[in-house]
Amino acid sequence: MKIPVRIRALLIWNKIFHSKPSADSLVKISSGGKGVKSVLFLLPSEKKLAQVVSHFIKKSLNQDTIDVKFIVHENALYYYNTILKSDTITFSDTDLNWFGILDFDKIIKKVSDFNYNALVDLNRSIDQPLSLLCMRLDIPIKIGFSSPISNYLYTVVLDPSENSFLEDNYMTIEKILGLNL
């Protein structure tokens, strides 16, 4: 898979100007059921994928023990009608610059009000401007799907099997985070 030029440019830009030392905070997830306390989900905006993801996040909304927040494009908010608006951070096409890169500072200000234990990027495409937000956030556990740039973005990379169902990947995420769904 080829990395688009704008994504390469942004990776280089962030490496030069925004590189940070790795996070010192640790989150312990035990087999005894003590999982993360707060999760930030990056939601896809494609209709086909959003329908499957919507079912997955419905289960996470039923959890009383964890705080869940979502970041999604405002045009895709329609696909996630079970999410409360207070739990959602949206962005629009006006938040993208002429190069097609998301204005990270606006979203980081909204996200920084809360201390997250984990970030889960449910986007599958590497050409998503939202996925590149992972480089700027100081969250100890960052989970995402395998891509040519996933090593720069995530601390845990899921390599989905061609023969398995998409839902199996989401069950793996639940196990990693210690969510009892």
Side-chain angles (χ1 to χ4, degrees):
M1 184 183 293
K2 203 172 178 183
I3 301 173
V5 174
R6 72 182 179 117
I7 302 297
R8 278 191 205 167
L10 189 62
L11 287 172
I12 293 168
W13 177 266
N14 277 313
K15 190 172 187 175
I16 293 171
F17 294 107
H18 297 288
S19 65
K20 298 177 188 176
S22 60
D24 291 334
S25 61
L26 295 175
V27 176
K28 296 181 181 180
I29 301 172
S30 67
S31 61
K34 301 248 179 175
V36 295
K37 302 241 185 272
S38 58
V39 180
L40 177 65
F41 286 100
L42 306 181
L43 301 177
S45 58
E46 297 90 9
K47 180 180 180 180
K48 184 177 179 182
L49 190 56
Q51 292 170 339
V52 177
V53 170
S54 176
H55 178 68
F56 169 70
I57 62 172
K58 240 188 264 187
K59 294 192 318 186
S60 66
L61 289 172
N62 294 333
Q63 292 289 314
D64 294 334
T65 58
I66 62 169
D67 293 318
V68 180
K69 298 285 184 193
F70 305 95
I71 299 179
V72 63
H73 192 283
E74 67 182 15
N75 294 341
L77 199 54
Y78 171 76
Y79 306 126
Y80 304 102
N81 55 7
T82 58
I83 299 175
L84 297 174
K85 294 213 187 266
S86 62
D87 293 337
T88 307
I89 300 169
T90 60
F91 66 96
S92 66
D93 290 336
T94 59
D95 294 328
L96 300 173
N97 65 16
W98 66 271
F99 198 53
I101 304 301
L102 192 62
D103 184 2
F104 295 129
D105 295 330
K106 285 183 183 178
I107 293 182
I108 289 174
K109 285 178 188 175
K110 295 176 185 178
V111 170
S112 65
D113 295 339
F114 198 73
N115 187 17
Y116 297 99
N117 297 129
L119 177 142
V120 179
D121 185 2
L122 298 172
N123 289 295
R124 293 280 186 133
S125 169
I126 67 165
D127 202 18
Q128 292 290 328
L130 183 59
S131 296
L132 298 173
L133 181 66
C134 297
M135 292 187 295
R136 295 278 195 95
L137 296 174
D138 290 327
I139 298 175
I141 300 172
K142 298 176 186 174
I143 301 172
F145 294 102
S146 179
S147 73
I149 62 170
S150 60
N151 291 337
Y152 298 107
L153 303 176
Y154 313 118
T155 55
V156 178
V157 177
L158 298 175
D159 192 16
S161 172
E162 296 288 329
N163 300 333
S164 68
F165 291 109
L166 190 59
E167 292 84 1
D168 293 341
N169 297 316
Y170 299 136
M171 290 183 354
T172 304
I173 292 170
E174 291 171 356
K175 288 177 187 175
I176 290 171
L177 296 179
L179 302 175
N180 299 327
L181 301 175

